[in-house]
Amino acid sequence: MTTANPPAAQAGSYRVGELELRRIGYGAMQPAGPGVFGPPRDRAAAIEVLRTAVELGVDHIDTADAYGPYVTNEIIREALFPYGDHLHIVTEVGMVRDERGSRLPANSPEALRGQVIDNLRRLGLDVLDVVNLRTVGGADDRVAVPDTLVPQFETLAELQQKGLIRHLGLSTVGLDQPAEAQRIAPVVCVQNIYNIADRGDEAMLTATAEQDIAYVPSFPLGGFSPLQSEVLESVAKRLDATPTAVAQSWLLRRSPNVLLIPGTSSVAHLRENIAGAALTLPPDAVAELDAI
């Protein structure tokens, strides 16, 4: 059971379609095994993290059938089903994993339909709250912009019209692609790499804010290469906070349309992540962090 004002609620919320989502969610890469491939070392611990996230007030979980593959969605269902009206699932399509764990594009209309159906089945849902179309990214998730995403987004829009998807978003996209997608169906969120040390997507963040589209930084804490900064460490020490909380507080302050989905396989780290929602950064600290 969650309290009336759980920790994750302290960052406020943002409207995504008709969904009012808290600005801190949970990114569900970590319940899978190392490298987001295969089963976790400790399935019970993965289930505990998911359940604790909800207890702390997280109301949206970001996942993909490619995580594992399939492992994460199966663990989410085991841990949290039935989800109730308070918990929303965001998933991603357009990429699959082969038997060696390699990430492969899979964005033909047939492949996308199959991925949506697989997500529904493994999660135990009749409709997915948000489905992000992932374009083909490189090894570090940088954008490799295709000539067009029209056939792929049209396929998802058809599934939306059939009632299998509520809202559509985009992942690893270039600056011009949301407009292309919007001519087909509304885009409610964009998920690209952005964090305190990697601000190459500044223009997209600004554009989405102007259009009331949620911006979801992938790897808000650096992902597989955790953030390392003497300035960040110094500010955190001065505020008697963790670098994780400081980095997330900075992101939340950066723009009101930012939604965070930090991931972890540790309950202790989960609590640290969500603590960023309650941390207030003084102006001098913000100025130092802005200069990183």
Side-chain angles (χ1 to χ4, degrees):
M1 296 294 291
T2 58
T3 62
N5 187 31
Q10 296 180 38
S13 60
Y14 189 79
R15 197 161 186 82
V16 180
E18 88 285 356
L19 306 175
E20 194 74 24
L21 299 184
R22 288 171 178 161
R23 295 182 67 203
I24 290 190
Y26 176 75
M29 279 187 171
Q30 298 291 346
V36 203
F37 188 65
R41 294 187 180 97
D42 188 337
R43 190 179 183 93
I47 289 172
E48 182 185 9
V49 167
L50 285 161
R51 290 176 176 169
T52 302
V54 174
E55 290 169 4
L56 294 174
V58 164
D59 65 357
H60 59 105
I61 293 176
D62 186 275
T63 185
D65 232 10
Y67 297 167
Y70 317 129
V71 172
T72 287
N73 281 353
E74 291 169 352
I75 292 176
I76 289 172
R77 182 173 182 172
E78 181 179 349
L80 302 174
F81 186 86
Y83 309 107
D85 296 333
H86 66 285
L87 184 62
H88 304 285
I89 306 295
V90 180
T91 193
E92 177 185 84
V93 296
M95 182 189 76
V96 297
R97 307 289 289 276
D98 65 16
E99 65 278 2
R100 295 173 296 179
S102 298
R103 298 183 296 177
L104 305 174
N107 49 27
S108 68
E110 295 77 12
L112 293 173
R113 292 187 193 102
Q115 289 167 65
V116 168
I117 296 302
D118 284 346
N119 273 277
L120 288 166
R121 178 168 55 85
R122 290 193 170 87
L123 290 164
L125 291 169
D126 296 320
V127 56
L128 295 165
D129 286 316
V130 183
V131 172
N132 289 326
L133 172 64
R134 179 191 175 97
T135 63
V136 183
D140 63 351
D141 275 346
R142 300 296 170 182
V143 179
V145 180
D147 292 335
T148 179
L149 51 68
V150 168
Q152 293 83 14
F153 209 73
E154 284 180 340
T155 298
L156 296 183
E158 291 171 4
L159 296 175
Q160 183 183 40
Q161 292 169 3
K162 292 179 179 178
L164 299 181
I165 301 170
R166 286 197 175 91
H167 300 292
L168 298 175
L170 297 170
S171 174
T172 63
V173 288
L175 189 59
D176 295 333
Q177 290 179 298
E180 183 182 31
Q182 292 267 46
R183 290 192 284 270
I184 300 167
V187 173
V188 300
C189 59
V190 169
Q191 185 176 138
N192 278 359
I193 286 181
Y194 187 85
N195 56 55
I196 196 170
D198 188 340
R199 307 180 197 176
D201 209 40
E202 202 72 57
M204 181 72 83
L205 174 55
T206 299
T208 53
E210 291 172 349
Q211 298 173 59
D212 296 322
I213 295 172
Y215 184 89
V216 185
S218 56
F219 300 143
L221 303 176
F224 299 115
S225 300
L227 296 174
Q228 296 183 20
S229 164
E230 291 183 4
V231 173
L232 179 60
E233 296 278 350
S234 174
V235 169
K237 184 176 181 179
R238 191 167 73 243
L239 298 178
D240 193 24
T242 65
T244 291
V246 171
Q248 292 191 111
S249 179
W250 182 88
L251 280 169
L252 289 169
R253 185 188 181 282
R254 173 63 186 81
S255 181
N257 69 320
V258 168
L259 302 184
L260 300 184
I261 50 167
T264 180
S265 58
S266 159
V267 169
H269 288 162
L270 174 71
R271 294 183 186 279
E272 288 180 11
N273 289 345
I274 293 177
L279 181 64
T280 300
L281 298 176
D284 61 332
V286 172
E288 288 182 67
L289 297 169
D290 284 348
I292 291 177

